[in-house]
C-alpha cells in the first residue's frame, strides 16, 4: 500500500484469553496445515523480494508450490500475477481470497538470516507473509477438495504498492468475473501475535488522492510589490482556504483530510519570486465526498489565483478508492475467526488510514478486508519490519475457516 498501515498499531489490545474465549474442538483440517512449509515459503519469498510489476520470480515460485498440490488449476492473468483455482467436489458458489506479492524499494535492516538478497528491495510491508499464508490456505483446502462446496480462487496479486495497482489489471482480464465474494487481509504490528482485527462495516480504509499545483505570478523587487504578482501570498491564501473545505463543505462527522505537505517558493528575502509549487494529499471515505473535494479544491485554487492575477497549472491524481467492507461478509469473517481462534483472539480494528487496491475488487462482488496482528514492533514499511512468524498459523486458520463458511452458507 501507498502508506504504512498505522491504524494497526493500536489494533490489538486484548484482554487475557480465559477458558470461555477458547475455540471448541479443532476441526480435522487444522492438522493438514503445513506449518513448517509455510515458514519455509515465507522465508524464501522474503529473501527474494521483487518490486511492483516485476514479480516474475515470485509468481513462478507461487506457481510451483500451487502445482505441487496436484488439484489446483494455475493461471497467469497478467505477466506477474497468479490465480489458483480449486474446484470443490460439490457444486456451489465461488469465493476468492487475495494476497499481494510485491515488495518495496526499502533497504532491509532486520538482520535476519533470510534477509533480502536484492539490494535496496525488501518485504517491508509483509506481502511475503500474505503470500505464504495464502499458499498454506490453498494447501489445506486442496487436501479436502472433495468436501468443498464450490470454487475457491487464490489471487496472488502483483503491484499493490504502486498506483494504479495490480488489482485493476487482473479485474480487466475477466478471470474473476464469476467470483461472488472477495476476502483479503493485511498483517501489521499489534500486542498479541495471531490476533485478528475486524475492520468496520462500510468504509474500512481511505481513498488516497493528491494534487500538484504550480502558481505562476510575476517576479519583482521585494520593495516594489505593485510591479509583480506575488505567488507566495496567492499560495498562502490557497492553503488557508483549502482548510475550509473539510470544515465548511463536508458533512460534519464524515472523515476527510486535506493536507498541503509541500510549499516551495523564493530564494531571497527581498525578491518576489515568479512561481510557487504546492502539493497535497486528500483522504476520503466515500465517493461523493471524494468528488466534492476534487471539485472544491479546483474552485478554490481557480478563484484565488484569479483574484490575484496569477495563473496556475493543477495536476490532480486519483489513487485507490476507499475499501468498503460488506456488512454480511464482515460479520461472517468475525464469526469464522471466533469459531476457529476463540473470541479472545478477535477484536475490533479501527478504520485503516492507509489505502489499499483491494478496494477495486468490489467492482465485481462484495468484499471484506481484515487485519492480522504479527506482534509488537515497528510499523509496516519500516526497514526493520519483522513480523512474528508464530502468527502465520492463525492467519491460515482464519482464511480457511472464512472460505469454508462462506461456501457452506452461499
Ligand atoms: Zn505497503
Ligand atoms: Zn501492504
Amino acid at each position: 500500500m501507498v502508506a504504512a498501515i498505522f491504524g494497526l498499531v493500536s489494533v490489538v489490545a486484548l484482554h487475557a484469553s480465559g477458558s470461555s474465549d477458547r475455540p471448541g474442538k479443532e476441526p480435522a483440517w487444522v492438522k493438514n496445515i503445513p506449518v513448517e512449509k509455510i515458514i519455509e515459503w515465507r522465508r524464501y519469498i522474503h529473501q527474494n523480494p521483487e518490486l511492483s510489476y516485476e514479480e516474475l520470480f515470485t509468481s513462478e515460485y507461487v506457481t510451483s508450490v500451487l502445482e505441487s498440490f496436484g488439484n489446483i488449476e494455475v493461471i497467469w492473468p497478467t505477466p506477474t500475477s497468479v490465480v489458483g483455482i480449486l474446484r470443490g467436489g460439490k457444486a456451489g458458489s465461488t469465493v476468492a481470497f487475495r494476497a499481494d506479492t510485491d515488495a518495496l524499494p526499502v533497504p532491509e535492516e532486520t538482520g535476519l538470516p533470510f534477509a533480502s538478497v536484492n539490494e535496496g528491495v525488501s518485504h517491508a510491508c509483509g506481502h511475503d507473509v500474505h503470500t505464504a499464508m495464502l499458499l498454506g490456505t490453498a494447501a489445506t483446502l486442496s487436501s479436502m477438495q472433495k468436501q468443498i462446496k464450490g470454487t475457491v480462487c487464490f489471487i496472488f496479486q502483483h503491484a499493490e504498492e504502486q498506483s494504479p495497482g495490480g488489482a485493476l489489471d487482473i479485474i480487466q482480464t475477466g478471470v474473476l468475473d464469476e467470483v461472488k465474494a472477495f476476502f483479503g487481509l493485511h498483517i501489521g504490528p499489534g500486542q498479541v501475535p495471531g490476533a485478528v482485527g475486524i475492520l468496520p462495516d462500510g468504509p474500512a480504509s481511505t481513498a488516497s488522492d493528491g494534487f500538484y499545483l504550480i502558481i505562476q505570478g510575476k517576479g519583482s523587487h521585494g520593495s516594489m510589490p505593485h510591479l509583480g504578482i506575488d505567488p507566495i501570498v496567492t499560495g498562502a491564501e490557497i492553503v488557508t482556504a483549502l482548510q475550509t473545505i473539510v470544515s465548511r463543505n463536508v458533512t460534519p462527522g464524515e472523515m476527510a483530510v486535506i493536507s498541503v505537505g509541500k510549499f516551495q517558493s523564493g530564494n531571497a528575502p527581498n525578491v518576489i519570486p515568479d512561481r510557487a509549487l504546492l502539493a497535497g494529499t486528500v483522504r476520503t471515505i466515500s465517493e461523493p465526498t471524494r468528488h466534492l473535494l476534487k471539485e472544491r479544491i479546483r474552485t478554490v485554487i481557480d478563484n484565488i489565483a484569479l483574484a490575484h492575477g496569477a495563473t496556475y497549472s493543477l495536476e490532480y491524481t486519483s489513487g485507490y478508492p476507499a475499501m468498503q467492507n460488506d456488512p454480511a461478509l464482515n460479520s461472517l469473517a468475525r464469526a469464522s475467526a471466533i469459531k476457529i481462534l476463540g473470541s479472545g483472539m478477535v477484536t475490533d480494528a479501527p478504520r485503516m488510514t492507509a489505502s489499499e487496491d483491494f478496494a477495486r475488487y468490489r467492482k465485481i462482488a462484495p468484499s471484506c478486508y481484515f487485519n492480522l496482528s504479527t506482534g509488537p514492533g515497528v510499523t509496516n514499511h519500516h526497514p526493520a519490519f519483522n513480523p512474528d512468524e508464530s502468527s502465520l498459523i492463525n492467519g491460515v486458520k482464519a482464511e480457511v475457516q472464512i472460505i469454508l463458511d462462506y461456501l457452506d452458507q452461499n
Side-chain angles (χ1 to χ4, degrees):
M1 69 189 52
V2 179
I5 23 178
F6 300 111
L8 280 172
V9 177
S10 57
V11 167
V12 186
L14 293 170
H15 55 84
S17 171
S19 58
S20 62
D21 292 326
R22 294 193 190 287
K25 190 171 171 287
E26 281 200 325
W29 53 260
V30 169
K31 67 177 187 316
N32 293 348
I33 298 175
V35 181
E36 283 171 18
K37 280 283 180 194
I38 292 167
I39 303 298
E40 183 188 317
W41 297 330
R42 184 261 162 162
R43 292 183 178 188
Y44 198 71
I45 295 163
H46 186 90
Q47 198 162 19
N48 298 280
E50 293 171 300
L51 292 173
S52 306
Y53 297 101
E54 297 174 11
E55 310 87 339
L56 184 60
F57 174 87
T58 309
S59 295
E60 283 171 350
Y61 186 70
V62 163
T63 298
S64 70
V65 173
L66 289 175
E67 285 180 345
S68 73
F69 305 149
N71 54 7
I72 292 184
E73 181 191 344
V74 179
I75 53 177
W76 286 46
T78 76
T80 60
S81 66
V82 177
V83 174
I85 302 169
L86 177 66
R87 293 177 213 286
K90 301 172 191 170
S93 189
T94 300
V95 63
F97 209 105
R98 176 273 216 163
D100 36 16
T101 60
D102 54 331
L104 286 162
V106 172
E108 182 162 350
E109 294 174 13
T110 62
L112 291 166
F114 53 89
S116 167
V117 295
N118 296 338
E119 205 183 322
V121 182
S122 72
H123 270 294
C125 202
H127 299 181
D128 53 332
V129 172
H130 300 168
T131 303
M133 289 194 301
L134 193 58
L135 287 171
T137 295
T140 310
L141 290 169
S142 85
S143 73
M144 52 194 296
Q145 180 258 340
K146 285 195 173 57
Q147 306 154 47
I148 291 173
K149 184 182 152 237
T151 301
V152 189
C153 295
F154 307 98
I155 305 169
F156 296 89
Q157 183 211 301
H158 61 301
E160 191 285 324
E161 296 284 359
Q162 196 176 316
S163 187
L168 210 52
D169 298 338
I170 301 181
I171 290 168
Q172 280 166 355
T173 67
V175 298
L176 301 173
D177 284 357
E178 298 306 310
V179 173
K180 299 292 183 274
F182 289 87
F183 290 92
L185 70 76
H186 212 296
I187 63 160
Q191 289 305 309
V192 181
V196 163
I198 301 293
L199 291 161
D201 288 348
S205 70
T206 62
S208 172
D209 301 328
F211 60 89
Y212 298 84
L213 171 67
I214 300 173
I215 301 167
Q216 187 65 50
K218 187 177 164 197
S220 180
H221 194 291
S223 69
M224 304 172 198
H226 58 296
L227 299 179
I229 296 172
D230 192 337
I232 296 181
V233 171
T234 309
E237 252 186 60
I238 287 173
V239 172
T240 307
L242 288 179
Q243 297 312 309
T244 67
I245 296 175
V246 171
S247 70
R248 301 294 87 181
N249 302 132
V250 174
T251 308
E254 179 169 344
M255 183 256 177
V257 176
I258 299 175
S259 292
V260 176
K262 178 177 177 178
F263 190 153
Q264 293 177 337
S265 188
N267 291 305
N270 59 351
V271 177
I272 293 171
D274 64 354
R275 59 163 52 187
L277 312 179
L278 280 79
T281 188
V282 180
R283 304 296 169 108
T284 50
I285 57 170
S286 75
E287 285 299 306
T289 302
R290 190 182 190 193
H291 291 134
L292 171 76
L293 262 57
K294 183 176 180 181
E295 219 178 270
R296 291 292 303 152
I297 286 170
R298 190 173 287 280
T299 303
V300 163
I301 291 171
D302 193 56
N303 284 282
I304 292 178
L306 180 70
H308 286 267
T311 57
Y312 69 92
S313 71
L314 176 65
E315 185 192 345
Y316 201 92
T317 56
S318 295
Y320 302 156
M323 289 193 293
Q324 303 288 336
N325 267 353
D326 177 76
L329 295 186
N330 217 22
S331 129
L332 181 144
R334 182 190 298 274
S336 300
I338 289 174
K339 191 199 299 188
I340 192 67
L341 303 177
S343 58
M345 289 296 277
V346 182
T347 188
D348 291 320
R351 178 184 299 129
M352 290 165 51
T353 54
S355 56
E356 238 295 345
D357 84 333
F358 180 80
R360 300 212 193 270
Y361 292 106
R362 199 168 62 92
K363 275 186 182 167
I364 300 177
S367 61
C368 167
Y369 201 75
F370 58 97
N371 296 156
L372 177 74
S373 159
T374 47
V378 296
T379 60
N380 309 59
H381 288 209
H382 190 284
F385 181 61
N386 183 18
D388 181 340
E389 287 180 332
S390 72
S391 54
L392 272 64
I393 178 101
N394 276 11
V396 174
K397 282 181 177 176
E399 290 182 4
V400 172
Q401 190 69 64
I402 286 168
I403 290 168
L404 289 175
D405 288 347
Y406 178 83
L407 291 176
D408 276 347
Q409 296 168 26
N410 291 276

